[in-house]
Amino acid sequence: MRITVCLTDNRPDAWIEGLRAALPGADVQNWTPGTPQADHAVVWSPPQAFMDEQPGLLGIFNIGAGVDALLKLRLPPQALVVRLDDAGMSVQMAEYVCHALIRHFREFDAYEADAREGRWGFRKPREREDFPVGVMGLGVLGERVAKAIAQFEFPINGWSRSPKTIEGLRCFAGEGEFDAFLGATRVLVNLLPLTESTRGILNRQTLSRLNGGKPGGYLINVARGAHLVEGDLIPLLDGGQLAGATLDVFEVEPLPAEHPFWRHPKITVTPHGSARTVRGASVAQIARKILAIERGEPVAGVVDPKRGY
Ligand SMILES: NC(=O)C1=CN([C@@H]2O[C@H](COP(=O)(O)OP(=O)(O)OC[C@H]3O[C@@H](n4cnc5c(N)ncnc54)[C@H](OP(=O)(O)O)[C@@H]3O)[C@@H](O)[C@H]2O)C=CC1
Ligand SMILES: O=C(O)C(=O)CO
């Protein structure tokens, strides 16, 4: 069995070594133009030239959860596209989102500013019932995040494409229930995949509906930058409709040094690191799935290219 590795912006050596150790007998090589046809590919943002040279692939394994960059390419029609299924990411995402939520709710940003001035500025505790959280996307990451938030006893809503029942969550589904979900939510967490239906979903209109249309909504975007219409955010913050935003992902990454998000006092920026790929767990998961596909067995995490995730 031949496996080719094509990782844009990632060093391939440790992946190749890990795959060779997990799949003894497999011929695992880094891709360069002219590499022989492989049975499976392990990829991150490969160029179209890679796909054009590998028309016989059976499996294309993405070393991330989001497949938006991959699905922009012309892919071999018979190949299964397989995303990472958690592999150590959901716990990181739960940490990140709980931290951002609690930092805002408990006003730690204001305490940090006070501390820098040596100011003993006690603030009146807030009621968590006044801070219902809404998680957009109840997939591998969203469900884990929602359950982690529920541990802190915030009222919690979730929104997905298909209807769901998840203990402790008020679940909304589909476009028909989107407005009700937004209206019932004050702190909005985005964990949707980027598809043609979700691009630009965080915009002036939708963000203005948070918190029943009253000022004070808060945005945590950890999915993809293109979910947010970036030009709409600062007017909502400056006008007071939104109290703040924590952003991990951006339309252009790295976020350009001159971008106004870096210096806005109500925006916290992190460099697309809310949930990093954990190499060891990912290699083990991909190796297990390659063997299953070779045996003709089904695997989890197969992407539906028409649906876009
Ligand atoms: N910042 C970072 O470091 C990282 C970001 N990510 C991002 O997080 C995203 C989510 O990951 P993951 O949880 O694994 O994805 P999943 O595919 O497991 O879950 C996607 C969820 O979104 C829902 N959904 C999809 N389209 C719509 C729609 N049009 N309307 C309503 N709901 C919709 C799905 O609904 P249904 O359940 O009905 O299908 C599902 O609940 C990734 O696509 C990636 O972009 C991922 C990892 C790290
Ligand atoms: O897994 C993903 O989709 C990521 O964004 C990792 O950074």
Side-chain angles (χ1 to χ4, degrees), residues 45-171:
S45 288
Q48 182 62 53
F50 169 83
M51 290 301 164
D52 293 343
E53 274 199 11
Q54 295 288 327
L57 290 171
L58 299 175
I60 302 173
F61 294 85
N62 191 51
I63 65 157
V67 288
D68 42 293
L70 191 52
L71 294 187
K72 282 186 198 149
L73 304 178
R74 277 186 316 281
L75 303 175
Q78 77 289 347
L80 289 181
V81 177
V82 187
R83 44 71 53 95
L84 274 187
D85 234 344
D86 192 342
M89 273 197 263
S90 73
V91 65
Q92 298 176 63
M93 201 51 105
E95 285 165 355
Y96 181 101
V97 173
C98 288
H99 175 270
L101 165 67
I102 291 167
R103 180 168 181 264
H104 172 59
F105 173 64
R106 296 291 301 268
E107 303 185 82
F108 287 135
D109 47 351
Y111 285 121
E112 284 158 15
D114 285 348
R116 281 193 291 274
E117 305 293 326
R119 197 166 45 229
W120 185 268
F122 181 73
R123 280 156 211 275
K124 194 165 160 270
R126 293 162 148 187
E127 299 292 337
R128 67 196 65 230
E129 289 67 34
D130 295 336
F131 284 79
V133 182
V135 179
M136 301 168 79
L138 294 173
V140 174
L141 302 180
E143 182 172 347
R144 173 74 182 254
V145 164
K147 287 178 170 167
I149 293 168
Q151 292 293 309
F152 293 102
E153 300 175 14
F154 288 93
I156 172 132
N157 307 309
W159 185 64
S160 54
R161 208 166 66 114
S162 54
K164 294 193 193 303
T165 307
I166 301 173
E167 203 188 327
L169 256 72
R170 184 174 169 204
C171 291

Side-chain angles (χ1 to χ4, degrees), residues 274-290:
S274 50
R276 304 292 304 271
T277 296
V278 180
R279 192 174 54 237
S282 304
V283 165
Q285 183 178 105
I286 291 169
R288 268 197 313 274
K289 290 184 180 180
I290 288 177

